[in-house]
Amino acid sequence: MEYGHFEGREYVITNPHTPVKWINYIGTIDFGGYVDHTGGMLLCKGDPAVNRITKYITQMPASDFKGSTVYIRANIDGKTVIYSPYYVPTLHEYDLYECRVGLGYSRFIMEYKGIRTEITVFVPDGESVAIQDIKIKNIGNKRIESLDVIPVVEYSHFDALKQLTNADWVPQTMTSKAIGKPGDLLVLRQCAFMMVGVAENFFTSNRPVSSYEADRKLFLGKNEYGTWAMPASLEKDEFSSQDILRGDNVGALMHHLGALEKGAEDRIIVQLGQVESVESSMALIDRFRKEEEVDKALADIEKFWEDFLSVCHVETGDEDFDTLINTHNPRQCFITLNWSRYLSYYQLGYGARGIGVRDSSQDVMAVIAGAPDRARRLLEMIISVQCRDGSSMHQFNPKTMIASNGDAHEMDDRPDYYGDDHLWLILAVSQYLKETGDYDFLKKEIPFYEKDKQGNPVEKATVLEHLERALEFTKTHTGKHGLPLLGFADWNDTVNLRTGAESVFIAHQFSLASREMAELFSYLGDNEKSQKYLSYAEEMKETVNREAWDGKWYVRYFDYDGSPIGSNKNDKGKIYTNAQSWAVMSGNADGQRAKTALESVYELLNTPYGIKLSMPGYDHYDPNIGGVSTYPPGAKENGGIFLHANPWVMIAETIVGNGDRAYQYHSQLNPIKKNNDIDTYEVEPYVFCQNILSNEHPNAGLGRNSWLSGTSSWMYQAATQYMLGIRPSHYGLVIDPCIPSSWDKISIKRRFRGKVYNIIIKNPAGVSKGIKSCTLDGKGIEIGDGKVIIPVPSSAECNVEVVLG
Ligand code: IFM
């Protein structure tokens, strides 16, 4: 079944019966949320757990009303038609339905009974209001005698969890009141009683409201035996216009737009937002009643995205690859940076989860070129939750900066820190420096997380020292085999072993981080430090190769008693992907061993849907191995395809020169290519998801947890920095492609440190890797080890042409 297609920068959904809801993000976590492809809207301000605005219950069936909709009531030829231009909740026949998933907006087009509606939903940049810009046209051959437009919203209690846990307290606290008189412009003010003057939601439009409904029972009617599909209140001309001091709060605004002649058009702008006080914010509210302000706000959003996406533009001849890299992948990276793991269709934003140090460090890595200031701000926050011993807190709330050790406190007999968190800092900061050249950042003093009794930090250090402490923590926390201790878990959150267990992944991560530090100190001219950290990497490499090579691949962990996990000796969990990919990425595996490890991944872990994280899956719950065994085999971390880990294998393949394999892996995951088998995949074809069920599961190929995943950052890095091979370095832009041998010509426009590089890669010999010749603005330049580094030019642009061979 086909549900839509790609068009320009949009994905156009043309059939609303998608296998699951497909969503799009509007606004930011400061105010915003997501809108699904049938107009349901989940909005929050600041934090979906503590300031949620609309009631959107993901788990309810797709056909149900979810948080927001619009009804159209039209009288044509003496007959009344009532329907929603979003399709849900009226589920009516239509002549045309489109949901255009755009950059920062969704546009819904519906043609029904000769009425064409076009609704653009978005949040103006930096504002706390969601706009529904509704354009209506009579495209039929009859006059529309009367046309009513009724936008409707259902509110959540601001405390999202309370909404679900107390059905007396919540309704007793909810209030709704009209400001203004029916027949005129009117604002419906809604908030919890305790939030009057603190956080008031407003629902309004730019047209007179003849009446309103603020209570769900009154809106649905018949003691709620009226339905969202056919609310009983719409059988009457007007609503009750009652203010409400309790109940399930909704907002419904009746607009009589009058008759619409053949070919005539009308427009109405609806706002749903939040301010401290509605009464003192009328000027602000008036602003987006003006069509020109709404048009300008949308144009500003388009401008932002054009600028953000102009950092890198590629033409490889593979349309699916290019569409992904030029639009959808970097868009997802930015959205993920912004929302971390706070709120999606799957991550429901009820708990006090906060931002993950590990997650956000990786998210940052893909957006530095397009959003350097945001990247730096987030890095500063992440560094400020590092502990004095060099380890890191696991999560923090970005508003309060209160941090926690995540789930690591869950089991008394396990360590209470994560063994990998602090090392991500080094990789992220290093990437930031290489991209921006902002070396002053290293001198910035940032406090460690520990506070005295008054809540003041007890110690601060420069960013550079923070990084060094991170390395020292791992250096000094090793186990029986000389490998880093796992802590509660490493990147794989779900393998939780007893105290004393060691992680080979962290060993690789430590080697990579040490090499990055060695490179940085060498660039800074401190050779002593550079050598010191190089020796850290070399010593770890030796240890890993001595202790963890299993014959055809690397072991993944050693348990507290020294026994291997991820070894041929195990019955289940014999091989884990990350121990192989990171071995190559870190330089711990080279030569034949690197190739053998990657071959094992291909043979044992690859499927047509992607690479599995491990195999075979654990077949029963085993508290000794931890959360991984809570899933059946083939799901999530238990032998499922955990997409985040796939690009690491792609990067490793490019390091060993296997561009065809890297491309095969990339294509397996490219959601655009999944458009052809979407009934299996089910989730949006325009973003990566976090997990796909593997061939060990009866529902193989089914994707879930789309949008907010580290997959987007690493897929983008793998494609642009390793397959196309354009990556920042301390000394300039590296060009080191490793492409499918069938690609014969690629052009890339890349912005780097304020300059534009126009790069052409020619591949007449049909190889994957190795630059044979290179010119910079027509002059030949030196090639080192098959790659080139192009320093930042003095002119605004430069032209680079490389020939592989
Ligand atoms: O690495 C983790 C991430 O931090 C949270 N989601 C699951 C990943 C793998 O376990």
Side-chain angles (χ1 to χ4, degrees):
M1 189 80 161
E2 198 183 279
Y3 301 96
H5 57 270
F6 290 86
E7 204 179 294
R9 296 227 193 250
E10 295 176 333
Y11 184 82
V12 189
I13 305 169
T14 49
N15 173 356
H17 289 196
T18 55
V20 289
K21 290 279 185 193
W22 291 354
I23 68 161
N24 191 15
Y25 282 83
I26 52 173
T28 66
I29 191 159
D30 292 331
F31 181 93
Y34 64 77
V35 51
D36 73 34
H37 74 284
T38 54
M41 223 189 303
L42 204 174
L43 290 179
C44 68
K45 185 167 159 66
D47 186 335
V50 298
N51 192 355
R52 188 172 292 229
I53 297 170
T54 54
K55 191 201 278 181
Y56 187 111
I57 313 283
T58 305
Q59 290 96 337
M60 300 308 281
S63 53
D64 279 14
F65 167 83
K66 289 195 171 71
S68 174
T69 195
V70 166
Y71 293 89
I72 302 278
R73 185 168 67 181
N75 192 302
I76 309 166
D77 261 356
K79 288 201 198 92
T80 301
V81 237
I82 297 175
Y83 71 98
S84 168
Y86 291 112
Y87 180 68
V88 169
T90 50
L91 313 178
H92 54 285
E93 303 278 302
Y94 52 81
D95 298 321
L96 176 78
Y97 153 88
E98 277 183 4
C99 167
R100 294 184 161 257
V101 179
L103 300 167
Y105 68 89
S106 281
R107 183 165 295 134
F108 298 84
I109 300 172
M110 169 80 68
E111 289 178 8
Y112 180 56
K113 302 276 182 199
I115 305 170
R116 178 182 166 95
T117 46
E118 193 179 305
I119 309 182
T120 308
V121 184
F122 72 102
V123 172
D125 188 28
E127 304 294 339
S128 293
V129 61
I131 304 282
Q132 292 178 80
D133 180 6
I134 309 172
K135 294 176 180 159
I136 311 170
K137 185 169 184 183
N138 183 346
I139 55 167
N141 49 19
K142 294 195 179 95
R143 177 178 196 259
I144 299 169
E145 330 275 327
S146 72
L147 184 71
D148 298 335
V149 175
I150 306 121
V152 178
V153 57
E154 184 175 24
Y155 293 101
S156 164
H157 192 271
F158 66 88
D159 181 332
L161 207 51
K162 280 271 165 54
Q163 175 69 51
L164 302 180
T165 54
N166 198 321
D168 179 31
W169 187 82
V170 166
Q172 299 288 11
T173 66
M174 300 282 264
T175 77
S176 212
K177 178 178 173 355
I179 297 178
K181 293 252 167 317
D184 209 341
L185 292 179
L186 175 148
V187 183
L188 210 50
R189 184 198 77 180
Q190 189 281 337
C191 61
F193 186 61
M194 66 189 280
M195 285 298 169
V196 174
V198 179
E200 300 181 355
N201 299 320
F202 64 91
F203 194 43
T204 191
S205 71
N206 64 343
R207 304 289 286 264
V209 171
S210 64
S211 57
Y212 62 91
E213 214 63 273
D215 177 73
R216 193 176 70 187
K217 208 163 173 180
L218 293 172
F219 178 69
L220 295 179
K222 303 178 184 167
N223 283 340
E224 296 203 352
Y225 288 90
T227 64
W228 286 108
M230 192 38 68
S233 64
L234 293 183
E235 287 162 15
K236 293 178 279 177
D237 246 16
E238 297 296 348
F239 293 137
S240 73
S241 296
Q242 291 179 49
D243 292 344
I244 294 295
L245 208 55
R246 58 152 281 110
D248 293 301
N249 284 189
V250 300
L253 305 175
M254 177 63 76
H255 301 95
H256 302 306
L257 299 191
L260 203 59
E261 302 299 333
K262 279 198 286 179
E265 291 177 52
D266 206 342
R267 181 172 177 184
I268 163 169
I269 297 162
V270 176
Q271 302 180 47
L272 171 60
Q274 191 182 91
V275 284
E276 255 176 52
S277 149
V278 171
E279 265 152 314
S280 51
S281 305
M282 284 305 178
L284 207 82
I285 291 171
D286 268 343
R287 179 173 160 208
F288 289 113
R289 287 188 165 130
K290 299 188 187 88
E291 293 180 3
E292 59 280 13
E293 287 287 342
V294 169
D295 293 341
K296 184 175 171 306
L298 188 62
D300 286 347
I301 287 179
E302 277 162 19
K303 217 159 116 255
F304 164 80
W305 281 105
E306 278 311 317
D307 181 60
F308 180 75
L309 297 175
S310 70
V311 160
C312 180
H313 181 88
V314 310
E315 281 168 35
T316 64
D318 178 331
E319 210 186 317
D320 292 346
F321 183 90
D322 296 354
T323 304
L324 185 71
I325 298 304
N326 293 334
T327 301
H328 300 279
N329 193 170
R331 181 259 300 268
Q332 187 181 357
C333 291
F334 188 79
I335 297 290
T336 307
L337 177 88
N338 191 269
W339 288 90
S340 184
R341 309 297 178 268
Y342 262 98
L343 185 69
S344 75
Y345 192 66
Y346 305 92
Q347 314 204 37
L348 303 181
Y350 288 109
R353 188 188 185 280
I355 282 187
V357 164
R358 171 201 297 144
D359 296 337
S360 289
S361 301
Q362 294 173 80
D363 296 344
V364 164
M365 292 173 85
V367 300
I368 299 166
D373 298 340
R374 291 182 79 117
R376 180 172 162 155
R377 271 203 307 279
L378 188 50
L379 283 174
E380 287 177 14
M381 285 175 148
I382 292 171
I383 293 169
S384 75
V385 299
Q386 187 184 17
C387 304
R388 293 159 79 194
D389 66 4
S391 70
S392 177
M393 302 301 286
H394 189 58
Q395 289 166 345
F396 61 94
N397 180 313
K399 297 268 179 265
T400 61
M401 288 313 291
I402 293 174
S404 79
N405 58 357
D407 294 340
H409 58 261
E410 266 181 359
M411 293 155 115
D412 288 343
D413 61 336
R414 308 285 159 103
D416 61 2
Y417 72 96
Y418 288 78
D420 64 320
D421 278 341
H422 50 285
L423 292 172
W424 293 109
L425 281 184
I426 297 175
L427 305 182
V429 171
S430 165
Q431 182 89 331
Y432 172 79
L433 298 172
K434 289 176 179 176
E435 183 67 52
T436 61
D438 174 17
Y439 291 93
D440 278 349
F441 182 49
L442 289 171
K443 296 185 201 139
K444 180 162 174 115
E445 293 204 317
I446 297 180
F448 289 98
Y449 187 64
E450 288 90 344
K451 315 269 186 304
D452 64 17
K453 284 197 182 117
Q454 285 73 46
N456 299 315
V458 289
E459 193 186 347
K460 59 183 178 179
T462 63
V463 167
L464 188 58
E465 189 174 340
H466 275 270
L467 304 186
E468 291 191 82
R469 285 211 202 170
L471 219 47
E472 288 309 324
F473 181 85
T474 303
K475 175 84 180 151
T476 52
H477 286 72
T478 52
K480 286 192 180 93
H481 298 84
L483 295 164
L485 291 170
L486 173 67
F488 182 70
D490 60 26
W491 174 88
N492 187 335
D493 267 339
T494 64
V495 175
N496 316 115
L497 307 172
R498 280 164 280 186
T499 304
E502 293 160 284
S503 160
V504 176
F505 171 84
I506 301 175
H508 297 324
Q509 197 194 13
F510 173 79
S511 293
L512 183 59
S514 300
R515 288 186 200 286
E516 290 291 337
M517 290 295 278
E519 215 183 285
L520 175 61
F521 275 108
S522 158
Y523 175 75
L524 297 175
D526 186 339
N527 282 332
E528 207 178 302
K529 283 264 173 83
S530 176
Q531 285 309 316
K532 172 177 160 187
Y533 293 129
L534 204 55
S535 72
Y536 280 18
E538 289 302 322
E539 280 162 27
M540 189 56 81
K541 176 176 181 173
E542 207 185 303
T543 309
V544 165
N545 281 293
R546 188 181 62 240
E547 304 290 342
W549 181 247
D550 200 53
K552 288 193 170 165
W553 59 82
Y554 289 92
V555 164
R556 176 65 169 84
Y557 307 88
F558 287 100
D559 210 343
Y560 74 105
D561 59 359
S563 55
I565 294 174
S567 155
N568 207 16
K569 297 191 186 91
N570 301 117
D571 268 358
K572 306 288 174 192
K574 277 174 170 300
I575 170 170
Y576 281 71
T577 302
N578 291 348
Q580 324 316 321
S581 50
W582 277 77
V584 182
M585 284 167 68
S586 63
N588 280 350
D590 38 32
Q592 190 51 44
R593 203 168 259 200
K595 288 190 177 149
T596 306
L598 293 179
E599 243 1 81
S600 298
V601 171
Y602 188 65
E603 273 170 30
L604 299 173
L605 295 163
N606 192 39
T607 79
Y609 302 113
I611 306 163
K612 301 194 277 189
L613 196 57
S614 60
M615 80 100 210
Y618 300 96
D619 59 4
H620 64 278
Y621 176 60
D622 176 1
N624 290 329
I625 185 121
V628 62
S629 62
T630 57
Y631 307 109
K636 302 266 287 189
E637 283 97 334
N638 189 19
I641 297 157
F642 212 91
L643 277 71
H644 189 146
N646 280 234
W648 293 332
V649 186
M650 292 167 209
I651 293 172
E653 288 289 0
T654 65
I655 292 171
V656 302
N658 201 345
D660 288 318
R661 181 74 60 76
Y663 176 71
Q664 180 190 343
Y665 287 148
H666 189 274
S667 299
Q668 284 174 177
L669 292 196
N670 186 342
I672 296 177
K673 295 194 191 286
K674 307 259 185 201
N675 208 23
N676 306 323
D677 188 17
I678 205 77
D679 281 316
T680 307
Y681 184 57
E682 292 203 346
V683 289
E684 298 92 330
Y686 44 87
V687 288
F688 292 106
C689 61
Q690 184 218 51
N691 65 87
I692 297 177
L693 294 170
S694 83
N695 55 4
E696 294 187 40
H697 194 285
N699 301 108
L702 179 95
R704 277 297 180 271
N705 208 346
S706 50
W707 281 97
L708 306 184
S709 160
T711 308
S712 61
S713 170
W714 280 104
M715 283 299 286
Y716 190 66
Q717 293 180 68
T720 56
Q721 298 196 13
Y722 293 89
M723 294 170 67
L724 299 173
I726 313 297
R727 58 178 173 270
S729 80
H730 296 302
Y731 303 93
L733 198 61
V734 174
I735 306 188
D736 177 25
C738 184
I739 56 173
S741 49
S742 58
W743 286 2
D744 57 0
K745 187 175 171 202
I746 303 170
S747 44
I748 302 164
K749 203 182 182 86
R750 171 70 151 85
R751 218 164 65 208
F752 177 63
R753 301 200 193 172
K755 306 295 166 101
V756 175
Y757 289 63
N758 300 304
I759 303 163
I760 305 277
I761 301 168
K762 290 186 176 163
N763 185 21
V767 297
S768 281
K769 195 175 167 99
I771 294 178
K772 190 173 80 174
S773 65
C774 174
T775 58
L776 170 61
D777 292 329
K779 293 199 191 96
I781 65 160
E782 201 184 314
I783 300 153
D785 199 18
K787 58 183 174 224
V788 289
I789 301 181
I790 313 287
V792 182
S794 47
S795 53
E797 296 205 10
C798 66
N799 298 304
V800 185
E801 190 169 311
V802 301
V803 180
L804 305 184

Short mmCIF file of all heavy atoms in Angstrom, two decimals, residues 41 62 246 314 376 422 548 661:
data_model
loop_
_atom_site.label_atom_id
_atom_site.label_comp_id
_atom_site.label_asym_id
_atom_site.label_seq_id
_atom_site.Cartn_x
_atom_site.Cartn_y
_atom_site.Cartn_z
N MET A 41 -2.78 17.13 17.97
CA MET A 41 -1.65 17.98 18.36
C MET A 41 -1.30 17.81 19.83
O MET A 41 -2.18 17.89 20.68
CB MET A 41 -2.03 19.43 18.10
CG MET A 41 -0.92 20.22 17.47
SD MET A 41 -1.22 21.97 17.40
CE MET A 41 -2.71 22.16 16.52
N ALA A 62 -6.08 5.13 16.45
CA ALA A 62 -5.72 6.19 15.51
C ALA A 62 -6.93 7.02 15.08
O ALA A 62 -6.81 8.19 14.75
CB ALA A 62 -5.06 5.57 14.28
N ARG A 246 -14.91 23.79 36.49
CA ARG A 246 -14.47 22.42 36.74
C ARG A 246 -14.69 21.62 35.44
O ARG A 246 -15.25 22.15 34.48
CB ARG A 246 -15.26 21.74 37.87
CG ARG A 246 -16.76 21.67 37.66
CD ARG A 246 -17.41 20.48 38.37
NE ARG A 246 -17.21 19.25 37.62
CZ ARG A 246 -16.42 18.25 38.02
NH1 ARG A 246 -15.75 18.32 39.15
NH2 ARG A 246 -16.28 17.17 37.28
N VAL A 314 24.41 17.77 -1.41
CA VAL A 314 25.12 16.76 -2.20
C VAL A 314 24.30 16.33 -3.42
O VAL A 314 23.07 16.32 -3.38
CB VAL A 314 25.46 15.50 -1.35
CG1 VAL A 314 26.12 15.89 -0.05
CG2 VAL A 314 24.25 14.65 -1.06
N ARG A 376 27.31 24.76 21.22
CA ARG A 376 28.21 25.15 22.32
C ARG A 376 27.43 25.28 23.64
O ARG A 376 27.88 24.82 24.68
CB ARG A 376 28.92 26.45 21.97
CG ARG A 376 29.85 26.89 23.06
CD ARG A 376 30.72 28.06 22.70
NE ARG A 376 31.23 28.64 23.94
CZ ARG A 376 32.33 29.34 24.05
NH1 ARG A 376 33.07 29.57 23.00
NH2 ARG A 376 32.72 29.83 25.21
N HIS A 422 31.03 10.03 30.34
CA HIS A 422 32.03 11.11 30.34
C HIS A 422 32.89 11.09 29.08
O HIS A 422 33.38 12.13 28.64
CB HIS A 422 32.91 10.99 31.58
CG HIS A 422 33.46 9.60 31.77
ND1 HIS A 422 32.70 8.56 32.22
CD2 HIS A 422 34.68 9.08 31.50
CE1 HIS A 422 33.41 7.46 32.26
NE2 HIS A 422 34.64 7.74 31.82
N ALA A 548 40.61 -9.64 24.48
CA ALA A 548 39.21 -9.68 24.03
C ALA A 548 39.01 -10.24 22.63
O ALA A 548 37.88 -10.30 22.16
CB ALA A 548 38.61 -8.27 24.13
N ARG A 661 29.95 -2.00 0.69
CA ARG A 661 29.28 -2.55 1.89
C ARG A 661 28.67 -1.42 2.73
O ARG A 661 27.53 -1.54 3.21
CB ARG A 661 30.34 -3.32 2.68
CG ARG A 661 29.92 -4.01 3.94
CD ARG A 661 29.10 -5.27 3.77
NE ARG A 661 29.65 -6.39 3.05
CZ ARG A 661 30.57 -7.25 3.50
NH1 ARG A 661 31.10 -7.10 4.70
NH2 ARG A 661 30.95 -8.27 2.77
#
